[in-house]
Amino acid sequence: MSSLRARTAIVAAADTKVGAVPEMSATQLCVDAACRAIEAAGIGKEQVDGLLTCNAMAEPYMYHAEMIAEYLQIFPRYCMSIGAGGGTTFALVHHAATAIANGLCDTVLIATADAMRSGLSKERAFALMSSAGHPQFESPYGPSIPAFYALIAQAHMHAYGTTPEQLAAVAVNARDYASRNPAAQKREPITIDDVLASRMIADPLHVLDCSLVSDGGAAIILTSAERARDFPGEPVYLLGAGEGHSHEHISQARSLTTSAAVESGQRAYTMAGLGPRDIDVAELYDCFTPVLLIELEDLGFCDKGAAGEFVLAGELGPGGSLPTNTHGGLLAHCHPGNPGSMFSLTEAVRQLRGESCNQVAGAEVALAHAQGGIMSSHATLILGTEATR
Amino acid sequence: MSEAQRNLPPVTVETRPFWEACRDGRLLLQQCRGCGHRQFYPRLVCSQCLGRELDWIEACGRGQVESFTIMRQAISPAYRNDLPYVVAIIRLAEGPTMLSNVIDCDPEALQIGMDVELRWATVTDEITLPKFGPA
Ligand SMILES: [Zn+2]
């Protein structure tokens, strides 16, 4: 197959209300996101001939994408739900672009939502919290999901001298951007001392090193570059996409400190014909503070082991060399589970259209990266404006 | 809190020999007859060469702390009395890594790279978990 570079474009992106949204179910949030994207695209629902979703933990269906199609009475020729944890969103985009480029469909609606904050039954929430990891070889030892990421953080600190202050700086950056984003769930600015003084969950991770638990949904519409010009919104082109998958369980990882973001990033850069220095704004997966440090290194934005200093120096902030998570990320904007990185994608679209509430002046190229599981599945997207095609 | 509420490994036909050996105080790994690769957890095939001829070998029981964290919040009431407890990745002397607890130690004194050795923790009549303590 010839390269996917600039073969497809995002023509609409939309978020639902996020945070605590008890008045809506997970399915309603997904449908709300879908309808907002269809409206933003200025098309009728009958023009959607591809539908991709991810299942919702709060309201799962055996065939989730078919359920959403049925609910909206649309009849796609390409229809699938994908589960790759937090990496789902960008894997969905990668699959959708491949499908469009190969003629399987023309216009794909990608809609994801969950209600992790308001929609889980007590029993389900308890089960999720109390049974993390491999059922035979991890879970009996009583680990939590934060603990798995704490193992990664400790290894990074040991190998490279990364400090708790540097981890905290990631959370401070997210809140700073969120403080200027009226849609964000947590908008009060915080300091490094606030993070370090917050309750310890699993050393070295404090509660403020951990992302939020949220309700929310987001959707985009992807179509071929040729058709994209017929839509009212400014097209945002998919210049590069790449994935890397290395393990499921952290105790079986090849490395605790270097991830498959190396591979996913290289694949996306190669397709785009671009490198880390060409990126104007980044939206990176920040479910826990150490994750963002490892992504900065593995995606080539700084040397291995240097991400802590990079963040502490303010490089991710407004005016820094790599403004990152300009909506507030999973740490401050919202994190409704598997759909979390959809909000990075919709923010990247806003940045490239000049519509972000933390607009990076002249942003032409954005990189969005997500990972799912425990640094298990990685997907990187590089997006660009008309000028970058 | 009763021990029964702890997360117990759902033993399968694939892993029964492993868990039966644990009950007898032996930590088993698999070694490939074709390429010599040693692996944990138990698998149908060698994860290096996909060979199917695997021998069970007994681990010597020594290893090093690859990474660890101190749990400050229990995952369920059954684990609350253990707080603060250590969840660690142990690099076994034979090569493979496994998740476990490090017990019989001051969690604050633990360090990456520290030598540890097997300690057996009986959970039920059927399940004994391989854990580690300072060597
Ligand atoms: Zn072999």
Side-chain angles (χ1 to χ4, degrees):
Chain A
M1 193 188 75
S2 60
S3 170
L4 281 178
R5 187 186 193 283
R7 297 277 298 280
T8 60
I10 297 171
V11 291
D15 297 350
T16 68
K17 184 182 168 193
V18 304
V21 193
E23 68 275 19
M24 292 182 90
S25 71
T27 300
Q28 285 180 305
L29 286 165
C30 188
V31 166
D32 183 35
C35 292
R36 286 170 188 249
I38 290 170
E39 193 186 339
I43 58 175
K45 69 182 167 81
E46 65 287 347
Q47 288 184 56
V48 172
D49 65 350
L51 175 67
L52 296 180
T53 72
C54 77
N55 219 335
M57 298 225 197
E59 200 178 355
Y61 286 95
M62 184 80 85
Y63 310 108
H64 188 269
E66 283 77 1
M67 167 62 202
I68 299 299
E70 171 191 288
Y71 192 118
L72 290 169
Q73 286 293 291
I74 58 178
F75 306 94
R77 55 184 172 135
Y78 182 69
C79 186
M80 182 162 43
S81 63
I82 294 181
T88 298
T89 294
F90 302 153
L92 287 169
V93 175
H94 194 190
H95 281 260
T98 309
I100 293 167
N102 284 288
L104 274 70
C105 54
D106 293 320
T107 302
V108 181
L109 168 63
I110 301 177
T112 69
D114 212 332
M116 296 296 283
R117 188 179 182 87
S118 311
L120 290 174
S121 69
K122 267 199 184 116
E123 296 71 29
R124 183 96 172 104
F126 180 80
L128 283 175
M129 214 177 74
S130 64
S131 61
H134 193 295
Q136 291 194 65
F137 299 111
E138 292 183 342
S139 176
Y141 297 102
S144 58
I145 289 178
F148 291 139
Y149 285 97
L151 293 169
I152 292 167
Q154 294 272 65
H156 200 273
M157 290 165 74
H158 181 76
Y160 302 113
T162 303
T163 65
E165 289 76 12
Q166 292 170 346
L167 294 172
V170 172
V172 171
N173 175 69
R175 280 291 186 95
D176 176 58
Y177 281 119
S179 72
R180 294 182 295 279
N181 180 359
Q185 185 175 341
K186 286 278 186 190
R187 295 191 295 270
E188 314 75 29
I190 52 172
T191 65
I192 287 176
D193 286 343
D194 291 334
V195 179
L196 298 181
S198 68
R199 187 163 47 90
M200 190 70 89
I201 301 291
D203 301 39
L205 300 184
H206 307 80
V207 68
L208 290 178
D209 286 297
C210 307
S211 54
L212 306 171
V213 179
S214 321
D215 309 320
I220 65 146
I221 291 178
L222 190 78
T223 192
S224 66
E226 298 77 52
R227 281 173 186 253
R229 288 182 221 107
D230 301 336
F231 288 79
E234 221 175 297
V236 168
Y237 294 91
L238 180 62
L239 303 178
E243 296 182 40
H245 303 267
S246 54
H247 58 266
E248 150 73 303
H249 303 99
I250 192 62
S251 60
Q252 297 286 320
R254 296 173 300 189
S255 163
L256 292 176
T257 52
T258 297
S259 72
V262 172
E263 290 115 291
S264 72
Q266 276 168 358
R267 287 165 187 151
Y269 287 134
T270 300
M271 185 188 292
L274 298 170
R277 282 163 190 269
D278 300 310
I279 306 303
D280 299 317
V281 55
E283 310 296 345
L284 307 179
Y285 205 77
D286 58 344
C287 52
F288 295 90
T289 53
V291 171
L292 194 135
L293 296 187
I294 290 175
E295 290 168 344
L296 287 169
E297 295 166 1
D298 291 353
L299 294 168
F301 294 116
C302 60
D303 290 341
K304 195 68 208 171
E309 289 167 43
F310 187 79
V311 176
L312 203 54
E315 300 295 354
L316 308 189
S321 62
L322 186 74
T324 296
N325 291 358
T326 48
H327 58 315
L330 305 168
L331 287 162
H333 173 262
C334 80
H335 189 184
N338 292 339
S341 52
M342 274 300 275
F343 301 92
S344 307
L345 185 58
T346 56
E347 171 65 6
V349 170
R350 285 189 293 269
Q351 284 286 352
L352 297 178
R353 287 175 164 179
E355 295 168 355
S356 170
C357 52
N358 285 297
Q359 184 61 43
V360 174
E364 299 276 6
V365 180
L367 181 146
H369 180 86
Q371 67 88 19
I374 314 294
M375 301 301 269
S376 314
S377 68
H378 290 258
T380 310
L381 301 182
I382 298 172
L383 303 156
T385 60
E386 183 75 43
T388 65
R389 283 181 74 193
Chain B
M1 281 299 158
S2 116
E3 291 292 302
Q5 287 174 283
R6 287 174 179 269
N7 297 336
L8 293 174
V11 179
T12 69
V13 64
E14 180 170 50
T15 60
R16 185 162 296 121
F18 172 85
W19 289 111
E20 283 176 358
C22 285
R23 209 168 45 191
D24 300 338
R26 295 181 305 129
L27 178 65
L28 295 188
L29 307 175
Q30 287 175 316
Q31 181 167 289
C32 176
R33 255 184 232 182
C35 75
H37 177 64
R38 292 162 170 175
Q39 66 188 13
F40 176 84
Y41 43 83
R43 294 160 162 95
L44 177 68
V45 297
C46 168
S47 61
Q48 189 155 284
C49 75
L50 302 188
R52 286 177 179 248
E53 291 197 83
L54 300 165
D55 294 315
W56 293 105
I57 60 165
E58 187 176 342
C60 71
R62 289 189 300 276
Q64 285 191 334
V65 176
E66 184 103 335
S67 191
F68 73 98
T69 183
I70 307 171
M71 297 289 293
R72 306 289 179 175
Q73 187 178 311
I75 59 161
S76 75
Y79 291 81
R80 210 169 277 157
N81 286 339
D82 300 347
L83 286 174
Y85 58 95
V86 173
V87 167
I89 295 176
I90 305 300
R91 170 80 57 185
L92 299 173
E94 289 81 5
T97 50
M98 65 183 290
L99 198 83
S100 190
N101 298 129
V102 180
I103 56 174
D104 303 335
C105 72
D106 171 11
E108 306 284 349
L110 208 60
Q111 286 187 345
I112 289 178
M114 218 164 100
D115 291 323
V116 289
E117 61 184 19
L118 263 177
R119 299 271 203 283
W120 291 103
T122 304
V123 188
T124 64
D125 288 347
E126 203 188 338
I127 295 298
T128 297
L129 289 177
K131 297 189 176 183
F132 291 82

